[in-house]
Amino acid sequence: FFKQKTAYEIVDCDWSSDVCSSDLRICAVADYMAGVVTRVSQLANRPLFPLASAALAFAATLLVVAFVPALCALVALQRRQWVRVAFSCAIGSALGATLLAWLVAEYGTQAIAGLMPGMVRSGEWAAGLRWVEHFGFVVLIAFASLPVSQTPVLIVCALLGMPLSHVFISVLLGKVMKYFLYAAFTASMLNQLTLRQQIMASDGAPK
């Protein structure tokens, strides 16, 4: 495939064992992102809303924060344009993943030492090494499309030398499938809820 070095040549460095501090950091980032979603909601009826949604997906991917809840909230604000919202978020997420892959490729494992302490000792890391070596970028597409963290596989791909163009396309394909599914489901459920409320209101109206 694209490998410039094998998984066995990726040297484990001195990782911090303070996982609790990392969890606190992730919680703080998640709280901050929730506040950003609130501010983005103020642009719901403006042309900049898809761009703001893409920027939010970019930041969430770069900071390794779950984005699906924010996506559902964004779709709820613009459910008639859920396709545009989902596609904008997929592009933003792919750009964020590409930048993260570049940082890892440029600075090595030190780039993620403070982000995800002890990750190289996790089961996801070991599985990612095996799968990426055997199946290449297909694994990244699969992880980007599934409701699991793509970050361990993304970092493995970067360390093994996957071209950034392949990273972008792989994550974009996966995120389009994932975000379109969640966005379509959210919009459909909201439409059904609205229709049910209208029916109940018409039934309860005086005749």
Side-chain angles (χ1 to χ4, degrees):
F1 286 94
F2 48 82
K3 298 187 289 294
Q4 295 180 350
K5 52 185 175 180
T6 65
Y8 305 104
E9 295 172 315
I10 300 176
V11 180
D12 189 2
C13 59
D14 184 17
W15 293 82
S16 170
S17 60
D18 192 3
V19 179
C20 293
S21 62
S22 177
D23 291 341
L24 291 174
R25 186 201 64 82
I26 293 175
C27 291
V29 172
D31 291 340
Y32 175 77
M33 292 297 294
V36 174
V37 172
T38 302
R39 288 192 288 271
V40 170
S41 66
Q42 300 173 0
L43 303 174
N45 297 320
R46 299 183 182 181
L48 290 177
F49 185 72
L51 181 61
S53 300
L56 187 61
F58 174 88
T61 303
L62 188 61
L63 297 174
V64 195
V65 177
F67 180 69
V68 169
L71 171 67
C72 295
L74 295 173
V75 171
L77 294 170
Q78 281 285 357
R79 59 186 177 189
R80 293 183 179 179
Q81 300 185 14
W82 66 266
V83 173
R84 181 182 298 180
V85 173
F87 189 68
S88 299
C89 292
I91 293 178
S93 182
L95 290 173
T98 303
L99 178 57
L100 181 59
W102 177 81
L103 290 172
V104 173
E106 188 73 15
Y107 299 103
T109 52
Q110 294 297 331
I112 55 172
L115 184 65
M116 302 180 73
M119 190 189 69
V120 293
R121 301 187 181 94
S122 66
E124 291 85 354
W125 176 265
L129 286 175
R130 295 193 302 270
W131 294 340
V132 171
E133 284 214 309
H134 283 87
F135 303 106
F137 63 88
V138 176
V139 178
L140 184 54
I141 297 176
F143 269 74
S145 64
L146 295 173
V148 295
S149 176
Q150 69 184 16
T151 305
V153 172
L154 174 66
I155 292 173
V156 170
C157 290
L159 292 175
L160 294 179
M162 175 184 281
L164 295 180
S165 59
H166 292 186
V167 172
F168 176 79
I169 294 173
S170 299
V171 175
L172 179 62
L173 291 175
K175 292 301 183 183
V176 164
M177 292 185 286
K178 178 179 180 178
Y179 289 170
F180 270 55
L181 179 62
Y182 277 103
F185 177 78
T186 301
S188 176
M189 293 299 294
L190 290 174
N191 289 334
Q192 292 181 20
L193 179 61
T194 300
L195 180 60
R196 186 176 304 173
Q197 291 175 343
Q198 291 174 350
I199 294 175
M200 293 177 62
S202 61
D203 291 341
K207 298 181 180 179

